[in-house]
Amino acid sequence: MLGRTLREVSTALKQGHITPTELCQKCLSLIKKTKFLNAYITVSEEVALKQAEESEKRYKKGHSLGDLDGIPVAVKDNFSTSSIETTCASNMLKGYVPPYNATVVQKLLDKGAVLMGKTNLDEFAMGSGSTNGVFGPVKNPWSYSKQHREKRKQKAHGENEDSNWLITGGSSGGSVAAAAAFTCFAALGSDTGGLTRNPAPHCGVVGFKPSYGLVSHHGLIPLVNSMDVPGILTRCVDDAAIVLGMLAGHDPKDSTTIQDPVKPFTLPTSADVNKLCTGIPKEYLAPELSSEVRSFWSKAANLFESEGAKVIEVSLPHASYSVVCYHALCTSEVASNMARFDGLEYGHRCDINVSTEAMYAATRWEGFNDVVRGRILSGNFFLLKENYENYFIKAQKVRQLIANDFVNVFNSEVDVLLTPTTLSEAVPYLEFIKEDNRTRSAQDDIFTQAVNMAGLPAVSVPVALSNQGLPIGLQFIGRAFCDQLLLTIAKWFEKQVQFPVIQLQELMDDCSSDFEIEKLSSVSLKQ
Amino acid sequence: MAAPMLRWSCLGKRWVLACIDGGSRHGRGAAIGCTSRRKRGQSSVAQQPLITVQKSRKGEHEWAAVVGLEIHAQISSNSKLFSGSQVHFAAPPNSLVSFFDASLPGTLPVLNRRCVEAAVMTGLALNCRINKKSLFDRKHYFYADLPAGYQITQQRLPIAVNGSLAYSVSVGKKPSQVSTRTVRIKQIQLEQDSGKSLHDELRSQTLIDLNRAGVGLLEVVLEPDMSCGEEAASAVRELQLILQALGTSQANMAEGQLRVDANVSVHHPGEPLGVRTEVKNLNSTRFLAKAIDSEIKRQIHELENGRKILNETRSFDYKLGCTMPMRDKEGKQDYRFMPEPNLPPLLLYDTASLPPGADPQQVINIDWIRDRLPELPGKTREKLIQKYGMLPEHSFALLNEVGLLEFFQNVIKETGAEPKKVTSWVLNIFLGFLKQQNLAVNESPVTPSALAELLNLLDRKAISSSAARQVFEELWRSKGKTPSQIVSEKKLELMQDQEALERVCHTVMEGHPQVVMDMKRGNPRAINKLIGLVRKATLSRADPTVIKEILERKLLS
């Protein structure tokens, strides 16, 4: 049951094959068994069971709230959740219990979803590994998959398997791992520079970033306000569309959300790519791109062409400036957003009380890690009067140029862009930590950042397994507010590639009855 | 991008904060709730003695002072600029604080429509160009009563620019010599107020009250077109009246709804401007004038003694009557301005640019607001002068007290007395009584109807002027009695019986032959003595002019 998609399990709930409480308990027990993944910071067991119970009552009365009623979901620990600790994986917010729900969390709860817990991340979502949070790194469930283990055994015998686990990518690693390890049916991440889409392909799940303004970011503890978008992580594209339908729309608490009413997002079961024009940005053919990813990318392009779509090379001439531009804008907003963490109203406060200034300094020193402090320092440097024109203003202009690149491409005949999501498959932790956070973030977000700067919708879809038996994903980028078309194309593509399901039964023998893995692969891939 | 969202006032949630340990050495925070000292009658401004700004010594140039003002007016609105919490003066600490006001992470600003309308109204009243597109910025600094670590303001593109404010100052010795001056208005911007810090030196702790945090402010920047304290105070006073007439701010300086910072420098005319200082903490127009003049004097004194003026922030010590450097503003502040990413540009429309089918609750039409602007003080004064033949200084005086003009107009409505007489009674006697007892117009025991009735009696010559004065005093003391009642109780009505009065005159003349002789000899003071005696005999109930007529007639006969 746990291995099913959201839509399938929703049907099972409606038909009474399983009750919300049973489903919740199965997820809770799996969360406990997969604790070593470190996907969750807080497991809200009591709340979840209570919500499941209420959902069960509704089902009994025949008053179900819809597709999400009774569905276990997980939420990244940078979304405010009323009466559930929200830490951002930082000492600064350890013990902070918000008095309100983020709009997206409230919307999920209003639709009857069952909140399993808050998922792990890089501190304040600053990172691309989900490795630097104060609660430790998230481990990629694929490290323990049958597919990967078999491949690795063939290559290196006698290697210490336990120390060779892989990272998920970040910063929404906890949400991605939670969805990939079947502990929930959908998870919320946050996507600022690709933080939802970056880890998704590493864990073989769908990572969707909606258009900026389509989904409220009220209650999402900000990284870069002008780019932050709640991201949706699911095991298939259809599920992402269901969740988007629940979350999208104007929020009176977020002035950047669209005013126009939003139509429900239902994807057609069969799509016709005949009249579609797919653009391949030539600048994305980076030298660092792994040959495997490149090969899947071109296979995907061929697939579109063979099905009658037009595939053309396009140019995003300013793409190469995106990394530095992002750095200046991101750190500036970070410096500003982090100013509120002074130990007065909430969060960590040091013991020093010599003066207000000394208290600020010590509190912030103790509360933030090196990465956060480093970004605050750079950001404040860029915002200084003497630097503002040279850095911040220039970066804003470059951001506009990058956004214009996309506008130009979409104003020609292109409907959707097809790009890699990441340079390669997931890397082992020991490999990953050889580089510092800044270098890593700059490397790992190159295909995803530009989309955030332009506010466009994008989705990463898992494609196939690498030689290492690890997932590889590709990204589709759509026109602003054409999220439905984008997801329709992604769904069509997903159906063509038949990505295999993760096989974790070795690890969780006693759960095998819950998984029904063999049956599953036929269920989720052939609709 | 989404269009700007405008919020209608709604109730905010409450958020209670704990106190903060750890002392602070700042001097900025004012004590909370220091309102016992009530301030009335800001009209004293015009009577401020002018400090000699220009000082000439042998072989030396004259000095000229340059004064610019930054004025923060709290917008009169039910809720805050970006949150739904309510706005009340002197509410229990931290009782009006929403999650946004306390800067809880993840909360976002939502612009209050009422505050935008107030800014547009004020901009129009001050002859500004209203920017159809304006932007919000973050201004960063760490301070305990600024929870987010930044203030949202409009630094790059404010809502209104390039206006002007006309005000009057008295010139020469007579108060009637009024001269009109104009100060340019650089800009009006919308911004958030900060909270308040209360420093408890004894326990070495700082207490924070966030009730004020996030209240909407209009920052009005006046160009340095003024040259002394009196000009600055008069300009502020006029702005205060305009804001009150518009209803956009209560603009009460004592309650902190209007706060003024002055930029002051001195130079020799024809030479570049001098280094300026900023004078803060000015909570009345009287102290504003004093502070500026003392700062001008200080700067001249410093420069004449070969010292330099530092670009610094100073505060006015009203006990010592001079400005002192403020310790906490030492060192250069870099506010690290940045665009506010959570608020789309604020777009305003006029009738021509209004998008068809726009929801009237979501858009603001500048023309609509312009058409509904109330009458401004300048216009009101002009009308008073035209309609009642009033002296300009009287029109100023009538507008200077809250409610006085309305009182005056209500009296006029119910009396046949000459407007000049009414003006004189309202401004001299009525206002004098109010001032003496430190009362506001609406606290007066004398109603406009009572005063009107009294003036009618006077006008009909039913009572004498001095009796009228007595009636007024009685009205003030014993609330509820009508003037006619008092007149009859106290037997103050004038003797209407001509024959009786002639008999009294006759008796008095017979009783004082010496005085009559003097009068006949042409001593002009003698008749006054006789008039006095007759009045005394009639218990002051006879009209002196009538007595004089009778006496003169009798002398000739």
Side-chain angles (χ1 to χ4, degrees):
Chain A
M1 191 58 78
L2 292 185
R4 296 192 181 176
T5 66
L6 194 160
R7 168 144 291 163
E8 288 159 2
V9 84
S10 178
T11 310
L13 283 169
K14 283 173 196 158
Q15 291 169 349
H17 296 321
I18 188 166
T19 70
T21 309
E22 285 165 4
L23 190 61
C24 177
Q25 275 162 345
K26 280 180 199 288
C27 282
L28 284 171
S29 99
L30 194 51
I31 288 172
K32 278 170 200 155
K33 284 183 186 111
T34 56
K35 199 171 187 305
F36 62 91
L37 294 177
N38 208 12
Y40 288 82
I41 291 174
T42 305
V43 180
S44 46
E45 185 168 347
E46 267 178 52
V47 178
L49 284 168
K50 202 163 163 272
Q51 286 166 343
E53 200 180 306
E54 279 161 21
S55 168
E56 198 159 328
K57 280 184 203 157
R58 287 192 292 268
Y59 274 109
K60 274 184 186 154
K61 284 184 192 159
H63 295 158
S64 147
L65 296 171
D67 289 344
L68 276 188
D69 203 345
I71 302 289
V73 297
V75 172
K76 191 175 179 179
D77 207 22
N78 59 351
F79 286 92
S80 301
T81 42
S82 177
S83 68
I84 300 173
E85 190 179 350
T86 299
T87 67
C88 286
S90 173
N91 272 327
M92 186 55 95
L93 283 180
K94 256 190 196 172
Y96 167 64
V97 179
Y100 74 103
N101 277 323
T103 299
V104 284
V105 171
Q106 192 60 50
K107 283 190 169 185
L108 288 177
L109 297 180
D110 289 346
K111 296 289 179 184
V114 176
L115 179 60
M116 306 311 293
K118 305 295 293 291
T119 59
N120 204 349
L121 63 155
D122 286 304
E123 182 161 333
F124 280 103
M126 295 182 208
S128 60
S130 298
T131 50
N132 77 25
V134 73
F135 300 100
V138 183
K139 296 179 179 177
N140 190 329
W142 283 84
S143 320
Y144 310 96
S145 70
K146 191 175 161 196
Q147 292 103 318
H148 176 56
R149 294 208 157 192
E150 277 172 2
K151 295 280 181 186
R152 211 169 60 195
K153 270 176 202 155
Q154 292 166 11
K155 286 193 173 173
H157 293 278
E159 224 176 82
N160 183 355
E161 284 191 4
D162 284 337
S163 69
N164 233 342
W165 55 272
L166 310 157
I167 62 148
T168 54
S171 64
S172 303
S175 285
V176 169
F182 305 105
T183 62
C184 63
F185 290 85
L188 293 185
S190 61
D191 198 317
T192 305
L195 310 177
T196 298
R197 285 159 293 143
N198 170 305
H202 289 160
C203 296
V205 299
V206 172
F208 173 57
K209 174 214 171 284
S211 300
Y212 186 85
L214 186 60
V215 178
S216 166
H217 67 285
H218 168 256
L220 167 60
I221 298 179
L223 174 59
V224 185
N225 296 283
S226 60
M227 301 184 203
D228 286 341
V229 172
I232 298 167
L233 296 149
T234 52
R235 293 196 288 270
C236 70
V237 176
D238 243 337
D239 291 354
I242 293 173
V243 177
L244 177 65
M246 305 293 179
L247 302 183
H250 177 67
D251 178 7
K253 291 174 181 152
D254 179 354
S255 308
T256 65
T257 50
I258 46 155
Q259 295 281 330
D260 309 325
V262 174
K263 284 184 235 142
F265 294 87
T266 39
L267 306 182
T269 39
S270 63
D272 187 5
V273 294
N274 241 328
K275 286 171 190 150
L276 197 75
C277 179
T278 307
I280 309 289
K282 62 177 182 187
E283 288 81 5
Y284 281 32
L285 194 63
E288 303 90 349
L289 192 63
S290 84
S291 57
E292 270 187 295
V293 175
R294 190 164 43 190
S295 128
F296 283 118
W297 186 18
S298 65
K299 274 183 195 160
N302 291 338
L303 175 66
F304 274 93
E305 211 162 38
S306 67
E307 292 294 322
K310 193 172 175 186
V311 180
I312 57 167
E313 187 185 80
V314 296
S315 174
L316 300 169
H318 300 94
S320 60
Y321 304 109
S322 111
V323 171
V324 275
C325 169
Y326 179 82
H327 178 70
L329 295 177
C330 169
T331 55
S332 300
E333 281 203 39
V334 163
S336 174
N337 288 331
M338 296 293 143
R340 70 187 58 217
F341 298 105
D342 54 13
L344 294 194
E345 281 84 10
Y346 42 78
H348 177 72
R349 189 195 293 180
C350 69
D351 296 327
I352 292 166
N353 60 3
V354 187
S355 73
T356 310
E357 287 81 359
M359 194 271 282
Y360 284 159
T363 295
R364 289 166 69 78
W365 175 261
E366 292 166 12
F368 295 137
N369 71 8
D370 286 349
V371 174
V372 179
R373 281 201 299 265
R375 291 203 194 180
I376 291 173
L377 281 174
S378 331
N380 277 324
F381 175 80
F382 296 139
L383 290 178
L384 285 176
K385 209 171 176 182
E386 72 230 49
N387 298 332
Y388 188 71
E389 284 286 329
N390 281 335
Y391 294 94
F392 190 84
I393 294 288
K394 269 191 190 160
Q396 270 194 322
K397 285 180 184 162
V398 174
R399 178 182 183 173
Q400 193 56 55
L401 292 173
I402 290 169
N404 289 349
D405 282 353
F406 284 105
V407 171
N408 293 337
V409 165
F410 286 120
N411 276 349
S412 66
E413 50 188 331
V414 173
D415 299 299
V416 69
L417 294 172
L418 172 64
T419 80
T421 318
T422 51
L423 291 168
S424 67
E425 77 266 72
V427 297
Y429 177 70
L430 295 174
E431 191 75 24
F432 182 80
I433 55 172
K434 284 178 187 163
E435 298 272 16
D436 68 77
N437 176 286
R438 209 195 127 190
T439 316
R440 275 294 175 194
S441 300
Q443 282 174 355
D444 295 342
D445 292 346
I446 57 166
F447 301 122
T448 50
Q449 265 165 7
V451 170
N452 293 75
M453 287 198 265
L456 303 175
V459 60
S460 171
V461 181
V463 178
L465 295 183
S466 68
N467 291 333
Q468 291 281 307
L470 292 174
I472 282 173
L474 292 175
Q475 173 178 243
F476 294 94
I477 303 169
R479 281 196 191 94
F481 295 103
C482 292
D483 300 58
Q484 171 138 5
L485 175 68
L486 177 72
L487 289 176
T488 305
I489 296 164
K491 180 176 169 180
W492 175 86
F493 181 72
E494 177 186 57
K495 199 170 165 188
Q496 311 303 311
V497 296
Q498 300 281 323
F499 180 74
V501 168
I502 184 171
Q503 295 178 15
L504 285 175
Q505 67 269 55
E506 268 181 42
L507 198 77
M508 292 163 280
D509 286 332
D510 47 342
C511 295
S512 51
S513 60
D514 287 336
F515 275 106
E516 307 162 40
I517 292 295
E518 304 311 322
K519 253 191 274 173
L520 235 175
S521 39
S522 58
V523 175
S524 71
L525 295 176
K526 287 173 195 147
Q527 299 191 2
Chain B
M1 279 296 153
M5 239 308 289
L6 297 169
R7 176 175 52 77
W8 295 93
S9 302
C10 59
L11 261 164
K13 289 183 184 158
R14 290 184 165 200
W15 186 249
V16 180
L17 300 175
C19 70
I20 301 158
D21 293 321
S24 168
R25 289 155 293 137
H26 300 311
R28 174 172 120 173
I32 300 164
C34 53
T35 54
S36 54
R37 199 163 37 88
R38 291 212 290 180
K39 266 206 178 344
R40 311 267 183 219
Q42 314 253 1
S43 54
S44 53
V45 165
Q47 276 81 50
Q48 280 300 301
L50 239 173
I51 290 216
T52 326
V53 173
Q54 287 152 356
K55 215 177 174 183
S56 59
R57 281 190 203 163
K58 284 186 288 182
E60 262 188 308
H61 300 295
E62 287 185 333
W63 290 103
V66 176
V67 179
L69 299 175
E70 277 174 31
I71 299 164
H72 289 91
Q74 238 178 44
I75 299 170
S76 175
S77 157
N78 292 331
S79 59
K80 296 184 179 179
L81 181 55
F82 297 121
S83 82
S85 351
Q86 287 185 285
V87 180
H88 282 304
F89 181 67
N94 295 313
S95 62
L96 306 172
V97 185
S98 70
F99 300 153
F100 174 79
D101 305 328
S103 80
L104 291 202
T107 52
L108 300 170
V110 179
L111 186 56
N112 181 344
R113 179 192 178 94
R114 159 72 195 156
C115 294
V116 177
E117 287 173 338
V120 172
M121 278 177 90
T122 308
L124 291 172
L126 296 175
N127 313 302
C128 291
R129 195 185 80 221
I130 307 295
N131 281 325
K132 287 195 187 140
K133 177 185 171 183
S134 62
L135 302 171
F136 290 95
D137 305 284
R138 291 179 178 181
K139 176 181 179 177
H140 298 89
Y141 59 93
F142 279 108
Y143 207 85
D145 54 27
L146 187 75
Y150 56 81
Q151 174 199 38
I152 303 178
T153 177
Q154 295 195 297
Q155 190 234 0
R156 289 166 300 163
L157 195 51
I159 190 160
V161 292
N162 297 340
S164 64
L165 169 68
Y167 63 96
S168 298
V169 282
S170 53
V171 290
K173 279 172 190 162
K174 274 168 69 185
S176 56
Q177 287 174 281
V178 199
S179 154
T180 302
R181 311 227 160 120
T182 304
V183 51
R184 288 167 300 147
I185 288 169
K186 186 172 177 236
Q187 64 187 55
I188 299 175
Q189 62 200 49
L190 276 166
E191 62 183 37
Q192 296 173 297
D193 209 341
S194 64
K196 285 179 180 172
S197 303
L198 181 65
H199 304 299
D200 181 347
E201 303 290 346
L202 212 65
R203 294 195 191 94
S204 176
Q205 57 176 205
T206 301
L207 298 167
I208 308 294
D209 178 10
L210 294 181
N211 281 353
R212 202 181 68 178
V215 171
L217 292 178
L218 294 173
E219 178 174 332
V220 184
V221 183
L222 268 52
E223 297 277 16
D225 296 341
M226 293 152 288
S227 60
C228 65
E230 195 209 349
E231 284 189 354
S234 303
V236 168
R237 181 67 192 127
E238 187 64 18
L239 178 66
Q240 209 175 11
L241 290 173
I242 290 173
L243 293 171
Q244 285 163 351
L246 294 171
T248 54
S249 172
Q250 292 176 9
N252 183 334
M253 287 184 87
E255 288 185 4
Q257 289 145 346
L258 195 77
R259 280 164 262 156
V260 184
D261 300 335
N263 290 310
V264 180
S265 70
V266 297
H267 69 135
H268 296 300
E271 289 177 16
L273 293 180
V275 176
R276 65 177 197 192
T277 59
E278 191 181 8
V279 185
K280 282 190 179 282
N281 287 355
L282 305 166
N283 63 2
S284 75
T285 42
R286 202 159 63 90
F287 287 141
L288 169 67
K290 276 192 177 172
I292 290 170
D293 289 337
S294 85
E295 177 59 15
I296 292 169
K297 264 188 175 173
R298 185 191 71 87
Q299 289 190 9
I300 293 170
H301 186 257
E302 291 293 294
L303 292 170
E304 289 192 336
N305 286 288
R307 290 186 288 266
K308 278 184 178 169
I309 302 301
L310 300 174
N311 182 357
E312 62 182 354
T313 305
R314 303 175 68 86
S315 71
F316 182 64
D317 186 320
Y318 63 93
K319 283 181 195 143
L320 298 175
C322 63
T323 67
M324 308 289 265
M326 277 171 83
R327 269 180 298 160
D328 69 322
K329 291 279 176 174
E330 271 173 316
K332 222 171 92 184
Q333 283 260 21
D334 190 324
Y335 292 118
R336 292 161 286 127
F337 283 100
M338 188 192 89
E340 166 57 60
N342 296 318
L343 289 166
L346 169 58
L347 301 179
L348 304 172
Y349 301 89
D350 53 24
T351 307
S353 67
L354 201 66
D359 178 358
Q361 302 207 336
Q362 287 298 326
V363 293
I364 288 177
N365 182 343
I366 302 166
D367 291 332
W368 195 89
I369 293 176
R370 184 184 284 113
D371 293 345
R372 281 157 188 79
L373 278 186
E375 187 177 277
L376 296 176
K379 183 77 190 164
T380 311
R381 288 191 203 103
E382 205 177 286
K383 278 174 147 181
L384 286 172
I385 292 166
Q386 275 177 4
K387 195 168 170 189
Y388 303 117
M390 199 179 278
L391 291 171
E393 70 263 29
H394 289 161
S395 69
F396 272 96
L398 274 182
L399 264 71
N400 243 348
E401 288 299 318
V402 179
L404 191 60
L405 176 66
E406 201 190 345
F407 188 94
F408 168 82
Q409 283 166 334
N410 286 334
V411 176
I412 284 270
K413 260 187 239 162
E414 297 184 39
T415 179
E418 282 285 301
K420 274 188 184 164
K421 193 100 191 164
V422 180
T423 309
S424 150
W425 268 79
V426 168
L427 287 181
N428 297 326
I429 297 167
F430 177 70
L431 191 58
F433 270 69
L434 284 179
K435 284 271 161 73
Q436 204 182 6
Q437 307 204 4
N438 200 22
L439 291 178
V441 174
N442 62 6
E443 292 165 328
S444 152
V446 176
T447 62
S449 309
L451 182 56
E453 193 187 332
L454 175 62
L455 293 176
N456 282 341
L457 291 171
L458 186 64
D459 194 46
R460 283 207 317 268
K461 296 204 175 4
I463 52 174
S464 67
S465 297
S466 59
R469 177 94 199 212
Q470 249 181 289
V471 174
F472 187 85
E473 278 169 30
E474 194 58 31
L475 276 175
W476 196 273
R477 269 198 299 272
S478 48
K479 225 175 169 180
K481 283 187 187 168
T482 66
S484 312
Q485 278 172 337
I486 296 169
V487 166
S488 66
E489 271 174 29
K490 302 247 161 187
K491 297 194 169 51
L492 292 169
E493 68 273 6
L494 284 177
M495 280 178 73
Q496 304 293 340
D497 186 342
Q498 185 81 9
E499 281 180 28
L501 187 54
E502 294 212 7
R503 278 196 300 275
V504 176
C505 288
H506 188 77
T507 317
V508 169
M509 283 171 85
E510 283 196 330
H512 297 84
Q514 190 57 44
V515 184
V516 176
M517 277 306 266
D518 287 351
M519 213 168 84
K520 282 186 175 162
R521 282 195 197 118
N523 183 343
R525 282 195 301 197
I527 191 158
N528 288 343
K529 188 161 187 191
L530 280 178
I531 293 170
L533 290 165
V534 174
R535 288 196 68 201
K536 207 174 169 186
T538 61
L539 303 166
S540 296
R541 284 160 58 210
D543 188 340
T545 46
V546 181
I547 300 172
K548 195 179 177 194
E549 266 173 41
I550 296 172
L551 290 173
E552 279 169 347
R553 189 155 25 85
K554 283 191 183 289
L555 277 174
L556 293 173
S557 61

